[in-house]
Amino acid sequence: MNRFLVITLLLAGSLSLAQSPDMPSDFLNKEWHKERRQKLREKLPSNSVAVFFANAVRNRSNDVDYIYHQDPDFQYLTGYREPNAVLLIFKDKQKTSGGALYDEIIFVQPKNMMREMWTGRRLGNMGTKEQLGIQQAFNNTEFKDYNIDFKAFEQVLFLDFHNDVRNDAQDPGDLYDLIEQFKVKAGYPQKDALSVAREQPKNNLNTKTLVSIMNDLRGIKTPEELDLLRKAVMISCIGQVEVMKAMKPGMSEREVQGIHEYVFKKYQAEDLGYPSIVGGGHNGCILHYIDNYKPALDPKELILMDLGAEYHGYTADITRTIPVSGKFSPEQKQIYDLVLAAQEEAMKICKPGTSFSALYDATARVINKGLAELNIIDKPSDKHLYYPHGCCHHIGLDVHDRGNYSVLQENMVITIEPGIYIQDNTTKDPKWWGIAVRIEDDYLITKDGCEHLSAFAPRTTEAIEAMMKQPSPLDNFLLPDLDKVTPKGN
Ligand code: GLY
Ligand code: MN
Ligand code: MN
């Protein structure tokens, strides 16, 4: 190797991933993840070890996999974004054969020039140690021979295994192998995962405690996480605003989805927190409608748009429902205002100490009373299916994030999302049929109230109608007619 090449390689190696011009500079840094591991360690029971596995690579078909997404707990504790890895965090210091003390160890994908040329850069064990700051880092192929006596721990904590991990016969250190090796080392009963989950472990294996520890940790957001969440929320709001400006009858659900998702990408959101829900008219009654196939939106209908940009792992969850024509009909406005009033009622009590069930009750009370006043139901106490879902959940690394679901605490981030969905033939008067409204906003719980993070996206009927009158940059984005254009031009 010549000297120039050596110097170049050394320089490249010393550039941390976060400093690389190829990467954004606002990922959570290694000190943040290290602190999270320490917080977890403090919550571990005495003489225990916690074991976490990276997410599985899932195959789409043939040689195409689904885009990889790290397991959120693994992401939270490490910042490692690659598959085929296992992390162990110990309550107490362990000793290497050389006498060095450590209380965390990770096994990751090895560097591999050929594989990296096809599927992307890998940190490798050295990169993981330097850039993610994990004390001990080895290649995943070394886990098999890692000398650990799981029987010596009072508790071995891990999360239930999901049963969709495939074995890559070409890769001796893939997730499948890591899990199998762990099971053998830890004395995990060789039964299917479901029957094990149903049984109380008879030994020191524990699949319950980590759930509550991770709920406690992830449910309260740090200032650094709030920065990322605020970005995800603002990006998603801008998507809603741009669609309001661009909306025209005849647009397809897919095109509307595309405008939102273009905005997400424009602001460097690498993913969606969940598949985009864009339902015109009756399709809005399907709560998680993700087909988005309707080719031409009708000016008489509403369009319900529930989308969240995921920014560096953190996702927003925002729904706006708007009239395709730019103006709500009287019936649409009546239902819309009822949903809005329900949301406002919950917002009034959105503060530390309020229970999740109290938030739901506040929304349901308003909706039931309003539906009775509109003669959609006979009396507020009637059972009905017009509001069939809960109203509130944490958001964060998951759209339905881990967290404590009893009472609100400072620095939780939640959504409030009431809705009314009126399917055909479910009311005496057909004027309501096909009206579906959900309004969903994101809130940071503060010391004595809440901050409305998604207020940038218009929410009242007046504000929405006003925004829909604004010009859109897409008014001039005219593409050729696909039926008329030919390979040689049109
Ligand atoms: N977008 C899923 C939900 O609103 O909970
Ligand atoms: Mn939601
Ligand atoms: Mn949603």
Side-chain angles (χ1 to χ4, degrees):
M1 214 183 284
N2 70 33
R3 241 174 53 199
F4 174 73
L5 187 58
V6 171
I7 290 167
T8 309
L9 285 175
L10 281 175
L11 275 176
S14 68
L15 263 185
S16 91
L17 209 62
Q19 294 165 328
S20 158
D22 290 347
M23 297 294 285
S25 58
D26 59 346
F27 284 115
L28 294 169
N29 62 31
K30 62 181 174 185
E31 282 74 30
W32 186 87
H33 292 288
K34 185 175 172 195
E35 197 212 335
R36 295 291 96 197
R37 294 194 295 278
Q38 181 54 26
K39 293 279 180 213
L40 175 120
R41 200 172 284 117
E42 286 163 14
K43 288 178 183 288
L44 289 178
S46 61
N47 188 22
S48 66
V49 54
V51 184
F52 293 88
F53 291 90
N55 226 346
V57 175
R58 296 191 170 90
N59 183 255
R60 197 176 103 158
S61 175
N62 195 12
D63 57 353
V64 176
D65 292 331
Y66 286 103
I67 292 174
Y68 186 69
H69 192 282
Q70 187 55 280
D71 171 80
D73 289 325
F74 208 88
Q75 174 74 29
Y76 186 84
L77 293 167
T78 65
Y80 187 69
R81 291 192 297 275
E82 299 173 33
N84 303 317
V86 56
L87 168 75
L88 286 80
I89 299 180
F90 301 92
K91 178 74 175 179
D92 308 303
K93 292 276 185 216
Q94 310 293 303
K95 216 179 243 178
T96 64
S97 52
L101 295 177
Y102 68 100
D103 54 17
E104 55 192 27
I105 186 166
I106 192 169
F107 295 84
V108 298
Q109 297 197 121
K111 297 285 291 175
N112 179 323
M113 243 175 79
M114 269 313 282
R115 300 294 306 173
E116 289 181 59
M117 199 170 169
W118 284 98
T119 57
R121 300 185 183 101
R122 296 178 173 190
L123 275 183
N125 59 338
M126 294 312 290
T128 299
K129 209 168 170 163
E130 284 158 20
Q131 295 183 35
L132 302 185
I134 300 177
Q135 291 161 14
Q136 297 281 331
F138 294 94
N139 289 333
N140 53 18
T141 45
E142 296 174 88
F143 183 61
K144 189 164 185 277
D145 296 324
Y146 171 52
N147 192 8
I148 180 167
D149 179 8
F150 281 112
K151 298 274 174 311
F153 295 91
E154 260 170 58
Q155 296 195 56
V156 177
L157 310 178
F158 54 102
L159 298 163
D160 282 333
F161 296 114
H162 301 294
N163 60 5
D164 57 353
V165 180
R166 291 186 181 197
N167 190 14
D168 176 355
Q170 312 295 317
D171 184 350
D174 71 359
L175 182 65
Y176 182 92
D177 296 313
L178 295 175
I179 290 175
E180 290 307 304
Q181 288 156 11
F182 166 72
K183 285 180 177 173
V184 171
K185 285 175 192 284
Y188 184 88
Q190 294 299 314
K191 292 184 192 165
D192 66 279
L194 279 179
S195 55
V196 171
R198 263 185 254 115
E199 287 174 12
Q200 281 300 314
K202 294 183 184 59
N203 46 25
N204 62 349
L205 305 185
N206 175 336
T207 58
K208 302 280 174 278
T209 302
L210 271 192
V211 174
S212 56
I213 293 178
M214 292 310 295
N215 283 350
D216 288 347
L217 284 176
R218 282 176 49 192
I220 307 292
K221 270 58 183 184
T222 67
E224 295 83 355
E225 288 179 291
L226 290 176
D227 285 346
L228 297 180
L229 266 168
R230 281 179 197 281
K231 281 189 191 171
V233 169
M234 186 50 81
I235 292 168
S236 308
C237 285
I238 295 172
Q240 296 282 0
V241 167
E242 290 307 316
V243 168
M244 287 179 196
K245 294 194 280 189
M247 176 63 66
K248 302 227 175 350
M251 270 186 172
S252 68
E253 290 174 343
R254 184 88 54 219
E255 183 176 0
V256 172
Q257 173 187 359
I259 299 170
H260 285 277
E261 294 182 9
Y262 170 73
V263 171
F264 296 178
K265 299 285 189 241
K266 172 77 181 166
Y267 291 102
Q268 299 292 322
E270 52 271 73
D271 218 329
L272 306 170
Y274 50 93
S276 298
I277 298 165
V278 180
H282 299 247
N283 293 335
C285 293
I286 301 168
L287 303 178
H288 285 177
Y289 172 80
I290 57 172
D291 287 348
N292 305 347
Y293 264 123
K294 186 167 184 157
L297 292 162
D298 190 302
K300 288 196 287 301
E301 60 195 17
L302 296 173
I303 179 162
L304 186 157
M305 307 175 293
D306 180 346
L307 303 95
E310 185 181 293
Y311 189 84
H312 298 358
Y314 288 81
T315 187
D317 184 6
I318 297 171
T319 309
R320 288 292 181 265
T321 307
I322 66 173
V324 171
S325 66
K327 185 144 184 58
F328 288 86
S329 74
E331 290 78 22
Q332 290 167 350
K333 182 168 163 53
Q334 279 174 301
I335 299 297
Y336 191 96
D337 283 343
L338 187 48
V339 177
L340 186 65
Q343 196 193 41
E344 301 261 333
E345 196 66 10
M347 281 168 70
K348 280 187 208 152
I349 55 167
C350 186
K351 56 175 187 247
T354 298
S355 66
F356 276 77
S357 59
L359 290 175
Y360 173 77
D361 291 346
T363 60
R365 225 174 16 249
V366 172
I367 285 177
N368 293 338
K369 183 164 170 282
L371 288 176
E373 282 165 7
L374 295 173
N375 290 319
I376 292 174
I377 57 176
D378 290 336
K379 49 185 187 314
S381 57
D382 280 359
K383 290 258 166 293
H384 62 80
L385 274 180
Y386 300 119
Y387 178 26
H389 56 72
C391 85
C392 305
H393 56 85
H394 293 267
I395 55 170
L397 287 169
D398 277 301
V399 61
H400 298 155
D401 207 28
R402 282 193 181 283
N404 184 313
Y405 277 86
S406 52
V407 295
L408 299 179
Q409 296 171 49
E410 190 177 356
N411 293 325
M412 286 179 168
V413 180
I414 65 158
T415 75
I416 303 179
E417 53 169 324
I420 295 177
Y421 313 88
I422 309 180
Q423 302 194 44
D424 284 0
N425 303 308
T426 62
T427 59
K428 278 174 240 130
D429 192 335
K431 70 179 181 179
W432 306 113
W433 297 355
I435 296 182
V437 174
R438 178 159 66 249
I439 309 174
E440 178 167 28
D441 281 82
D442 301 340
Y443 304 86
L444 166 64
I445 310 303
T446 58
K447 200 158 177 286
D448 49 12
C450 69
E451 182 185 337
H452 185 180
L453 300 177
S454 48
F456 187 77
R459 211 164 50 100
T460 62
T461 56
E462 295 78 14
I464 289 170
E465 288 176 357
M467 184 59 78
M468 292 184 78
K469 292 200 178 87
Q470 297 296 315
S472 161
L474 291 172
D475 293 342
N476 300 317
F477 185 63
L478 302 174
L479 296 176
D481 185 334
L482 205 54
D483 293 331
K484 303 222 174 81
V485 73
T486 70
K488 291 187 181 153
N490 54 357

